[in-house]
Amino acid sequence: FDDYLTYYRSTTICKIHDDYLFNSVSGTHKNGQYSIFSLEVDAPTKGFLTANQIQQRIMSIKYQNYETSETNFILAKVLENGDLEFIEGTSGAFEGLNMEFPDILQPGKYLIFVEVDWLFSGLEEITLNSYTEKQVHLE
């Protein structure tokens, strides 16, 4: 068990859907700022979003005390009048912070706000993945 913990910080159980589609986009921001991503949904869809940081086992080679940073992650729908409707939010200090859509997402435009409280300067890249039943457009 101890040898496992030496090489793996966590264990993840993945939900596999052979028919789901994967998209990925990256962004950068400094402490006190955040990244905004756009999600266009053309047809009702189920799915997940994941905000990924660089893995600890890779970064611990360069930074002996490397830890993943606290991430805040919000999904909001853009309404016809331009207002935002909160859909889901989560936070945590995980290499891959997951958000499952609470309900089927209806067609429309959504914004995804990702804020990371970076513990190490120079590490300012976050990668956002979508894994959805129907094709979506992630930017």
Side-chain angles (χ1 to χ4, degrees):
F1 180 74
D2 289 336
D3 61 335
Y4 179 84
L5 293 177
T6 300
Y7 296 103
Y8 302 97
R9 181 176 178 203
S10 63
T11 301
T12 302
I13 298 173
C14 299
K15 292 184 179 182
I16 304 293
H17 296 276
D18 291 334
D19 56 340
Y20 273 33
L21 304 165
F22 179 83
N23 289 296
S24 183
V25 65
S26 294
T28 60
H29 66 270
K30 298 186 181 308
N31 272 340
Q33 299 178 347
Y34 52 89
S35 295
I36 301 175
F37 300 94
S38 174
L39 179 71
E40 294 279 346
V41 177
D42 297 327
T45 190
K46 298 177 189 175
F48 306 83
L49 295 172
T50 305
N52 293 293
Q53 298 179 45
I54 297 174
Q55 294 181 350
Q56 182 179 19
R57 65 188 172 121
I58 295 169
M59 291 309 296
S60 63
I61 295 167
K62 184 175 181 180
Y63 300 100
Q64 186 176 22
N65 298 322
Y66 177 78
E67 292 288 331
T68 51
S69 301
E70 183 73 24
T71 302
N72 299 306
F73 187 14
I74 297 172
L75 173 66
K77 183 170 187 178
V78 180
L79 302 176
E80 288 184 21
N81 64 4
D83 288 346
L84 298 176
E85 176 185 3
F86 175 84
I87 302 296
E88 185 67 42
T90 190
S91 66
F94 304 106
E95 293 171 353
L97 182 60
N98 295 301
M99 176 191 296
E100 184 171 1
F101 303 152
D103 295 307
I104 294 174
L105 285 190
Q106 297 303 315
K109 181 176 181 176
Y110 295 80
L111 294 179
I112 303 152
F113 299 86
V114 181
E115 177 189 36
V116 183
D117 184 15
W118 300 109
L119 296 175
F120 289 82
S121 63
L123 300 179
E124 300 165 342
E125 183 176 7
I126 193 81
T127 301
L128 184 69
N129 302 324
S130 65
Y131 187 57
T132 54
E133 179 182 43
K134 305 287 184 186
Q135 182 65 47
V136 298
H137 309 283
L138 181 63
E139 305 183 335

